[in-house]
Structures are given as structure tokens and as C-alpha cells.
Amino acid sequence: MLMASPDFATYGAQRFKGSLKPCMALLEDALSTLRTDEAGVRIHGLKALSPLLGSDGCIGAVAASVLGQGAKPVRAILFNKSAETNWSLAWHQDRTICVKERREAAGFGPWTVKSGLVHVAPPFELLSRMVTLRAHLDDVPSGNAPLLIAPGSHTVGRIAVEDVDHVVRQCGTATCLAKAGDVWLYATPILHASEAATEPSSRRVLQVDYAAEALPHGLEWLGV
């Protein structure tokens, strides 16, 4: 049984070395139908992923180590950074969730549509009860654009854009190096960033958001 570190709540991130190894072949096969020439592909309805993402699967079990057996995947994106798709990402918080349909609800908004999927910014308190994991299909050494995080920044609350740099300086930064088969788990609202790769190679990462609660006001998670 996987267990998150007692420090996860305050630090906001943890590496689970090799936790994907037992299901790497299944994961590669499940993702083989997706396009590989795009920087990011939003995933919905890919049934082959379900056994891996459930709370007893090799990916979902990592989320369940924090959220419990009620953890369910609510959004997934396959990122593919390479020499052809090499980008940088400024420091930011993830602030939106993906839902089945738009319903006006207090505290939810603004609304956007990304790749045909309905997204909305929920109350921050909901985000603070979610986790995000990154399942690494390739090695991510320092030259291959590892994720950067500001440890503890998830405890600050919703951070205004003009305050982001100050909070990063206050919290410091950590580099999330990884080997193929590793999973990084982090608190969804943690400040994070990514530089362009200086030694670009294939850097495929399946990123999955998890929650363990139903949405209010008749809203429903779209799910994966």
C-alpha cells in the first residue's frame, strides 16, 4: 500500500520512485492511440486508462495515498515536450476544473472551453482539497525541462498574478527530476513552472487531477 509522506501536507509534493514500473507497458499501450505531434492532448473517454487511474490502479493508488479510496480522476492531459514541441511555462497556479456542462453556480467562474471541454474556475477551497500527479513515461534530467515547484505555496491561498514572484522567492524552488516510471504527486494549487529544455529529448508526462468529492449546485465532473 502506498503512503504519502507526513510532510506532504506542508511541502506540497512527493516523488514516488518506480511506482509506474508494473504497468508501464499497459500505460504505453493505452496512450498509443493519441497524437504525438502536439504539445498537450486533453484526454476524455479513453477506456484503456480506467484500470490504471482507479484508486487501486498503479497511478490512482498514488492519489489515494492522500485522498483515500474515494479518489477519482477528474481531468487528464498528455504532455509531450520534444525538440519540435519545446516550450517554457511561467510560474502559476492551476485554477480550473473540467465539468460535463455549464451551470451557473455561486463561486464558480469564469468559464472557458478548451479543446471542446468545458472548464471553470471553482472556489479555491475546492482546489485545495485536490491533488495532481505526473506520471513520467521518459527520463527527466535537469536538461529535459523538469517541473519546478515552490514548496509550501499551496498553503498561501489564491495568489494574485502580481504577487507570484514574491511568493516564489519566499518559498524557494525545488526541481522535480524523474526517471521513466516515476510519479510526482503535488497539491493542485501549488505554484509551478517549467523552462524550455536545454537538452530536449522525448519528455512525455501524463498529468491527472484527482478529487474525492462531488461538485455542488448540480455541477458534475467530466472525468477521464
Side-chain angles (χ1 to χ4, degrees), residues 121-136:
F124 184 84
E125 291 73 22
L126 189 150
L127 294 173
S128 70
R129 295 189 294 271
M130 294 174 60
V131 296
T132 297
L133 62 78
R134 291 167 65 88
H136 290 273

Side-chain angles (χ1 to χ4, degrees), residues 29-93:
D29 186 60
L31 299 174
S32 64
T33 59
L34 300 179
R35 296 187 60 168
T36 59
D37 59 346
E38 296 183 8
V41 177
R42 297 180 185 274
I43 301 171
H44 174 61
L46 193 58
K47 293 182 178 180
L49 277 178
S50 296
L52 308 178
L53 300 185
S55 59
D56 57 350
C58 67
I59 296 176
V62 176
S65 72
V66 173
L67 298 181
Q69 291 301 301
K72 56 187 177 184
V74 294
R75 179 171 61 176
I77 306 172
L78 178 64
F79 291 112
N80 184 18
K81 187 175 286 192
S82 65
E84 293 73 33
T85 56
N86 191 10
W87 72 93
S88 62
L89 193 62
W91 287 99
H92 68 286
Q93 290 177 303

Side-chain angles (χ1 to χ4, degrees), residues 81 138-146 195-203:
K81 187 175 286 192
D138 301 297
D139 290 349
V140 187
S142 58
N144 200 20
E195 298 174 348
T198 56
E199 301 172 10
S201 179
S202 178
R203 197 215 67 171

Side-chain angles (χ1 to χ4, degrees), residues 91-195:
W91 287 99
H92 68 286
Q93 290 177 303
D94 289 339
R95 293 186 176 182
T96 62
I97 60 174
C98 193
V99 298
K100 288 185 177 180
E101 62 180 3
R102 178 168 179 165
R103 285 174 176 262
E104 296 307 319
F108 286 77
W111 293 81
T112 54
V113 176
K114 304 174 184 179
S115 301
L117 306 180
V118 179
H119 286 70
V120 64
F124 184 84
E125 291 73 22
L126 189 150
L127 294 173
S128 70
R129 295 189 294 271
M130 294 174 60
V131 296
T132 297
L133 62 78
R134 291 167 65 88
H136 290 273
L137 285 83
D138 301 297
D139 290 349
V140 187
S142 58
N144 200 20
L147 187 75
L148 306 173
I149 62 166
S153 58
H154 62 296
T155 65
V156 177
R158 188 182 296 273
I159 301 168
V161 173
E162 60 269 22
D163 295 331
V164 166
D165 289 345
H166 171 73
V167 174
V168 171
R169 288 194 300 270
Q170 199 171 46
C171 293
T173 63
T175 303
C176 301
L177 304 178
K179 290 285 188 180
D182 289 352
V183 170
W184 268 99
L185 177 73
Y186 63 90
T188 296
I190 202 167
L191 281 172
H192 58 285
S194 178
E195 298 174 348

